[in-house]
Amino acid sequence: MTRSTHKPPERVAVVGAGMVGLSTAWFLQDAGVEVTVLERSAVAAGSSWGNAGWLTNSLAAPLPDPSVLKFGIRAVLSPSSPIYVPPTADPRTLRWLARFARNCTSARWNKAMQGMLPLIRDALPAFDALEAGGVAARTRAADPLTAAFPSARDSKGLLEEFAHLEASGRPVDFEILDGADARNSEPALNDAITRVVRFRGERFIDPARYVRAIADSLRARGGRIVEGVEVQEVRSTRSGVTVAGEEYDSVVLAHGAWINRLARQVGVKQIVQAGRGYSFTAEVDQLPQGPIYFPGQKVACTPIGDRLRIAGTMEFRDVGAPGDPRRMRSLVSQARALLRGAHIDDRQDEWVGARPCTADGLPLIGAGNDPRVHVAGGHGMWGVFLGPVSGRLLAEEIVTGHRPAALSAVDPLR
């Protein structure tokens, strides 16, 4: 019998105070590790702030699927398209786009889905563990989550996806309503809607509030969060890893779409591309019972407090580029056409955020070529949903030295 020589780290730095970084830090702390979180801006200031906040087993899937290519070149070059690729000469972005397109096949999507399934299956229990451990925020039941369509034909793609999910072991509990029943099922829907698909068993959150609650719990248990620190270098030494002038036993890189430069230092060749989304909030005459999704337009609506957050679009652009007002105007126009009783002219909280997307649709979770430097990122649209389970599993690997089987497909060195 051989005895493991792995020594659990005593002090770990986590770069990034979004859902992924703070969840990783929280579960490390839960295992007895002293944690410091370093954040370039502020807690929940990035993609964890303005997204839809959906925790959905039924819709979580790898981004590069065959339907993306159906938009065509002309469509993706249009600023009003749900998926927009601005003209660029940046070689790294062009390489990423070429790899992304190669992954938009049924075979590669199915392979990526199988790799993502273990994370999806354990995603909600990870939220339950946070709340049982002292995080004050709570998930909310989406009762129901409604997908809305102008016609029955428009729902064909979603229903086919549900059939694929059932074949892969993920049955979806849903019902279909047509005509007046569809329109009356949700007062916020426009009269043009003639079919809805309602599914249950999903949840949602106010993402910024939830992430801040994780930060509060971390601090209350003795953790340290340092805001306004942009990490320029991770330097390995014989005794540890130096980050922002301090030495730690290990470091976790979890800073979203900014992860490329530091991850390359530890051998990560996968490119993380910013897939930017836009959102705003508006008052509505009657808040929906739960989230609403318009799949044809890629628009997601979530009750946040007493307002409705309206989010959408996927824009592959440089992470530091300013927001494109044409994209916000397009989202506003779509919201007018899809919703009833929404006071769009009085909108607030306009936001653009960079989702960290990989070309194969799978996140990057695990150690780089230095076993003391770990990566947790590249979750695309699902960083809020998969952040806690990713953090829980990565913390287990860091503390025990054993890689959980659920992380087999998301090796950052793949």
Side-chain angles (χ1 to χ4, degrees):
M1 178 177 178
T2 60
R3 180 175 297 175
S4 172
T5 59
H6 176 76
K7 181 182 178 182
E10 296 180 5
R11 299 179 69 241
V12 175
V14 176
V15 182
M19 179 65 90
V20 178
L22 284 170
S23 295
T24 306
W26 192 94
F27 282 109
L28 282 168
Q29 187 185 56
D30 205 47
V33 177
E34 179 185 329
V35 179
T36 296
V37 179
L38 305 171
E39 165 57 43
R40 62 188 295 272
S41 179
V43 169
S47 292
S48 296
W49 190 88
N51 67 81
W54 292 5
L55 315 179
T56 166
N57 289 298
S58 304
L59 294 176
L63 180 61
D65 71 76
S67 68
V68 173
L69 296 185
K70 294 179 182 178
F71 280 96
I73 297 299
R74 182 175 298 179
V76 300
L77 293 177
S78 168
S80 62
S81 171
I83 299 174
Y84 178 44
V85 181
T88 180
D90 178 53
R92 187 176 66 182
T93 300
L94 293 173
R95 286 199 307 273
W96 185 91
L97 289 169
R99 294 173 185 172
F100 180 84
R102 286 199 299 270
N103 282 296
C104 290
T105 67
S106 294
R108 293 193 178 192
W109 184 89
N110 286 329
K111 180 180 179 181
M113 176 60 83
Q114 291 303 312
M116 190 183 285
L117 273 177
L119 300 178
I120 294 171
R121 288 171 178 153
D122 288 337
L124 292 178
F127 280 90
D128 297 336
L130 288 170
E131 294 171 18
V135 173
R138 292 294 181 265
T139 64
R140 293 179 57 189
D143 191 21
L145 193 155
T146 299
F149 305 89
S151 71
R153 182 179 60 187
D154 295 319
S155 68
K156 181 181 177 182
L158 181 66
L159 297 178
E160 288 177 347
E161 183 176 325
F162 285 175
H164 292 153
L165 291 177
E166 184 164 6
S168 68
R170 288 172 61 195
V172 180
D173 179 11
F174 69 93
E175 64 175 344
I176 297 173
L177 300 176
D178 287 313
D181 290 337
R183 287 189 295 274
N184 295 334
S185 69
E186 182 50 75
L189 295 176
N190 187 282
D191 288 341
I193 300 301
T194 66
R195 166 165 284 195
V196 301
V197 178
R198 292 155 48 107
F199 37 109
R200 303 184 185 277
E202 316 293 1
R203 305 187 209 174
F204 68 101
I205 57 172
D206 177 337
R209 179 175 294 180
Y210 203 100
V211 170
R212 291 179 187 131
I214 299 175
D216 290 343
S217 177
L218 189 81
R219 289 187 178 110
R221 301 192 304 180
R224 187 165 62 118
I225 301 175
V226 185
E227 298 174 308
V229 175
E230 185 164 5
V231 176
Q232 300 289 345
E233 181 185 22
V234 174
R235 185 165 54 86
S236 297
T237 67
R238 292 183 63 183
S239 56
V241 184
T242 300
V243 183
E246 290 191 48
E247 188 172 271
Y248 300 87
D249 299 316
S250 294
V251 63
V252 177
L253 307 178
H255 51 309
W258 288 266
I259 205 169
N260 284 309
R261 182 172 53 81
L262 294 182
R264 282 199 300 271
Q265 295 178 16
V266 289
V268 177
K269 297 180 180 179
Q270 289 274 345
I271 298 171
V272 174
Q273 171 65 41
R276 305 201 309 173
Y278 290 72
S279 73
F280 61 89
T281 66
E283 290 186 353
V284 291
D285 291 341
Q286 186 170 342
L287 272 176
Q289 303 169 58
I292 301 175
Y293 181 38
F294 299 97
Q297 296 78 18
K298 308 296 185 188
V299 172
C301 305
T302 309
I304 301 288
D306 60 355
R307 302 176 68 84
L308 188 67
R309 174 167 292 162
I310 301 166
T313 82
M314 178 62 75
E315 174 191 58
F316 297 125
R317 191 191 288 267
D318 182 75
V319 64
D324 186 338
R326 298 172 300 177
R327 303 295 286 161
M328 184 61 75
R329 287 197 296 268
S330 175
L331 183 60
V332 167
S333 176
Q334 290 168 341
R336 291 187 197 279
L338 296 168
L339 295 168
R340 175 194 296 161
H343 301 276
I344 304 298
D345 290 336
D346 297 325
R347 62 188 175 275
Q348 298 176 12
D349 307 314
E350 290 193 353
W351 171 87
V352 56
R355 311 178 190 101
C357 302
T358 61
D360 62 5
L362 289 170
L364 310 171
I365 308 171
N369 57 21
D370 182 337
R372 298 169 299 181
V373 181
H374 306 264
V375 175
H379 292 78
M381 298 183 297
W382 304 110
V384 164
F385 177 43
L386 299 179
V389 67
S390 299
R392 190 180 198 178
L393 292 167
L394 182 56
E396 178 185 337
E397 177 177 336
I398 292 170
V399 171
T400 68
H402 298 292
R403 186 161 176 80
L407 297 182
S408 60
V410 295
D411 186 341
L413 298 179
R414 64 181 184 272

